[in-house]
Amino acid sequence: MRLNFIWKVLFVTLVMTVLSGFAAAGPQVTTGTIEGTVTDQSGAVLPNIDVSVKNVETGITRTATTDERGTFRSVLLPVGRYEVSVDFKGFAPFRQPDVALTVGQTVTLDVRLGVAGA
């Protein structure tokens, strides 16, 4: 009878240890972020510019818009390779291919747009 009680205590202790290990691990991060600032050739920030972030493996595209400081941020992106592009009237198109994004990483990509035709 005493041996049965000891086994029950050991079992409960083992289960509690395993469960507490899962709780301590917390949520696993499986995404990353691409962020940056969009400026013109003189260095002036450009607000309200759409920045496209395309996963080259899946073809899925997300769009982020720059704020009043010219900054954009695309969060919770699945890991992989991305192409970042900006098309804005009066400026030459910007393309940055093969931006590699790993787990938990934040890639900073500053975009400088030149005048179209320059």
Side-chain angles (χ1 to χ4, degrees), residues 27-104:
Q28 299 297 311
V29 176
T30 59
T31 60
T33 300
I34 298 176
E35 64 183 15
T37 304
V38 179
T39 58
D40 66 12
Q41 69 278 0
S42 71
V45 298
L46 296 173
N48 299 314
I49 304 291
D50 288 336
V51 179
S52 294
V53 179
K54 178 182 177 182
N55 185 308
V56 297
E57 289 132 357
T58 65
I60 295 173
T61 301
R62 293 197 193 167
T63 302
T65 303
T66 60
D67 62 16
E68 67 279 354
R69 296 179 313 273
T71 60
F72 68 94
R73 186 169 168 86
S74 191
V75 299
L76 300 175
L77 298 170
V79 298
R81 291 182 9 254
Y82 286 85
E83 177 182 273
V84 178
S85 59
V86 178
D87 291 303
F88 190 66
K89 187 177 179 179
F91 291 92
F94 172 87
R95 301 278 180 277
Q96 180 66 52
D98 207 26
V99 176
L101 188 62
T102 60
V103 173

Side-chain angles (χ1 to χ4, degrees), residues 1-42:
M1 181 82 164
R2 176 123 169 91
L3 188 58
N4 195 14
F5 174 75
I6 292 172
W7 281 111
K8 286 181 182 179
V9 170
L10 286 174
F11 178 76
V12 169
T13 303
L14 176 64
V15 168
M16 295 303 290
T17 302
V18 169
L19 291 178
S20 67
F22 286 131
Q28 299 297 311
V29 176
T30 59
T31 60
T33 300
I34 298 176
E35 64 183 15
T37 304
V38 179
T39 58
D40 66 12
Q41 69 278 0
S42 71

